[in-house]
Amino acid sequence: MINKFGGKTKLNIKRLLLILVASILVGLGACSKENQTAKKLAQDTADTAKNLDANLTFKNVILEQADDKGRLWWKVKANQAEYSKDQKNAQIYNPDGELFQDGKVVYKIKATTGEVQQDGEKILLRGDIIATAIQDGAVLKGKELEWRPKEDKLIVRNNLTGTHAKLEAKATEAHVFSRARRMELFGQVVAVAKDPPLQMRGEHLIWEMAKEIVISNKPIQIDRYKDANNITDRALGKTGQVDLKAKIATLKDNAQITLLEPPVQAFSNSLVWNLNGKKLVSDTPVQVIHRQQPMTVRGNKGWMDLEKKVFYLTGNVIGTESKRQSKMTADRMNWLLSTQEVAAEGNVIYQQAYPPLNLNGPKAFGKLQNQTIVITGDTGGSVITNIIP
């Protein structure tokens, strides 16, 4: 640890004063061994050195620490620094400084108070914390800051708020890694993206700042906003990520998306929500439920054109209407959500309970809700063509 006077690693004030005492004694003793003034001065100086052992206080100091290669770890200005009796720690007041990694400034910091450890491996600040990441411009505010330079880890905790050009967040705690340009947020995290307008909630969100990607390895909720007060869509998953640059949200493991328009819910173990292209894609078994009509469709995989309000499903597709107990199975099926019509092809089988009816053919078109289904062949009748994009 170095103060503004240039002392290295430890400020041994007592030793310096005792040397001064010895010098005074030698100088004055040469004139007169009986000089009472010299004895009094020596005693007072020795007493002062003893008292300084208990509390070493400096005003307007600059404290800094470097690694074995001489590269700075941190440099802090403080109005006052008080060293402990063993001089291993120092309490600092109104610290304002910089944190370094690999010899470069990575954070600017301010706080109310702080504690510096003699070995320099950790600096702890408290009070109204402000930490600014130089490279990414992220600003973290909280009540406690901890810098561990050997781990390249900055920790800010207690009433944490963070702001960035792409994201704003609230959490219990944040861990920031300057080399990886990664921020990890913990504890009831709420992160709000500006473009696209999303709110993400979870217990542990990872913000890859350079890639503009938010990752969660725990349950995550994503709300899409039409404006500041209105949620249009909501997505849930046991894990997930949001690519803010590409405007794509990916939900995994018991994922579901609830859309306002069209009013449907989609369930799958993998849902890819293209927010910009207005598409919803699943390459694993997917089920879609209409929230206003008694209609459900599921298949091995599928995708939805949110703008045209059409869902395309392939592989063991089953469409069911619960009110009239109508059912259709096929290799491929298109569901036109605006009209509730289905167009199917490939091993089509249609069944209904009342009146009992079973039909099959290569293609079909109609509405399961009112049991108006047309089964056609390749020749003759009303042949449905180009129903699968």
Side-chain angles (χ1 to χ4, degrees):
M1 192 182 299
I2 304 174
N3 77 343
K4 67 175 182 177
F5 303 108
K8 294 183 179 180
T9 67
K10 182 183 288 188
L11 293 173
N12 199 328
I13 302 302
K14 178 181 178 182
R15 182 179 178 185
L16 292 175
L17 288 175
L18 290 177
I19 293 172
L20 178 61
V21 170
S23 299
I24 292 172
L25 286 174
V26 170
L28 293 178
C31 298
S32 174
K33 292 184 180 181
E34 302 299 328
N35 191 314
Q36 296 299 317
T37 302
K39 288 183 178 180
K40 182 66 167 62
L41 180 58
Q43 184 61 49
D44 291 345
T45 306
D47 291 342
T48 301
K50 186 182 296 184
N51 292 334
L52 280 172
D53 245 354
N55 189 16
L56 306 178
T57 302
F58 298 91
K59 302 287 186 180
N60 300 319
V61 295
I62 298 176
L63 307 174
E64 60 185 43
Q65 181 67 40
D67 62 15
D68 296 337
K69 297 180 181 180
R71 298 178 300 184
L72 283 175
W73 273 342
W74 46 263
K75 183 177 182 179
V76 177
K77 298 178 183 178
N79 291 347
Q80 182 174 305
E82 295 178 357
Y83 286 82
S84 60
K85 183 177 180 180
D86 57 12
Q87 301 174 42
K88 290 183 178 180
N89 300 313
Q91 294 293 324
I92 54 178
Y93 298 89
N94 298 315
D96 183 347
E98 299 168 331
L99 306 179
F100 295 75
Q101 190 58 259
D102 303 322
K104 297 179 180 179
V105 178
V106 289
Y107 306 105
K108 289 186 176 295
I109 55 170
K110 285 185 179 181
T112 306
T113 62
E115 178 182 328
V116 178
Q117 293 186 351
Q118 175 58 41
D119 57 15
E121 293 187 3
K122 183 168 69 175
I123 181 171
L124 183 65
L125 305 181
R126 297 184 180 88
D128 296 325
I129 303 295
I130 301 177
T132 304
I134 301 300
Q135 188 169 10
D136 295 291
V139 179
L140 296 175
K141 296 182 180 181
K143 296 299 181 182
E144 188 172 285
L145 177 149
E146 187 176 333
W147 172 232
R148 301 176 183 176
K150 283 189 174 181
E151 301 175 44
D152 185 31
K153 181 187 287 189
L154 176 73
I155 302 173
V156 181
R157 57 174 71 95
N158 297 339
N159 297 322
L160 169 73
T161 61
T163 58
H164 183 271
K166 297 290 184 178
L167 198 71
E168 295 183 358
K170 293 183 179 180
T172 303
E173 187 170 306
H175 296 180
V176 190
F177 304 86
S178 64
R179 293 192 186 103
R181 297 176 66 184
R182 184 176 80 250
M183 181 187 301
E184 298 191 23
L185 300 163
F186 299 87
Q188 297 182 344
V189 184
V190 179
V192 179
K194 300 176 183 178
D195 182 26
L198 300 174
Q199 184 185 86
M200 293 156 279
R201 293 176 177 268
E203 291 297 317
H204 180 199
L205 298 185
I206 302 169
W207 171 223
E208 299 281 0
M209 290 180 279
K211 298 177 182 178
E212 298 184 20
I213 294 177
V214 179
I215 301 170
S216 177
N217 295 319
K218 292 186 176 182
I220 182 174
Q221 174 181 310
I222 304 170
D223 293 338
R224 184 178 186 181
Y225 286 82
K226 182 178 181 180
D227 52 50
N229 300 314
N230 295 306
I231 298 174
T232 59
D233 311 302
R234 173 169 291 172
L236 302 170
K238 285 190 175 181
T239 64
Q241 75 171 39
V242 180
D243 187 329
L244 297 179
K245 193 172 184 179
K247 297 180 174 60
I248 293 176
T250 303
L251 288 304
K252 298 285 187 180
D253 302 324
N254 292 328
Q256 69 178 73
I257 293 181
T258 302
L259 304 175
L260 179 65
E261 187 59 38
V264 296
Q265 283 181 294
F267 302 84
S268 178
N269 277 326
S270 175
L271 289 173
V272 180
W273 186 11
N274 190 319
L275 301 162
N276 196 32
K278 297 183 178 180
K279 289 183 179 180
L280 184 62
V281 180
S282 175
D283 58 2
T284 62
V286 58
Q287 176 176 282
V288 185
I289 299 173
H290 200 288
R291 300 201 316 274
Q292 297 174 355
Q293 300 289 338
M295 183 75 178
T296 299
V297 177
R298 62 180 181 269
N300 287 348
K301 60 182 179 180
W303 72 277
M304 182 177 183
D305 187 322
L306 299 178
E307 197 166 37
K308 294 181 179 179
K309 300 179 183 178
V310 181
F311 218 108
Y312 306 95
L313 298 103
T314 62
N316 298 315
V317 184
I318 301 173
T320 58
E321 194 276 340
S322 59
K323 187 175 181 180
R324 293 179 178 267
Q325 298 184 35
S326 301
K327 178 181 178 182
M328 181 183 289
T329 63
D331 294 334
R332 296 171 296 280
M333 186 181 293
N334 297 355
W335 181 18
L336 288 70
L337 295 163
S338 57
T339 64
Q340 290 302 301
E341 294 173 311
V342 294
E345 68 177 21
N347 300 308
V348 178
I349 298 175
Y350 171 73
Q351 298 172 315
Q352 65 182 43
Y354 304 102
L357 181 64
N358 287 274
L359 297 173
N360 63 79
K363 299 179 181 180
F365 179 83
K367 292 184 178 182
L368 296 181
Q369 289 91 331
N370 54 17
Q371 298 177 336
T372 55
I373 301 296
V374 177
I375 302 290
T376 64
D378 293 330
T379 59
S382 301
V383 179
I384 302 172
T385 60
N386 300 320
I387 66 169
I388 302 298

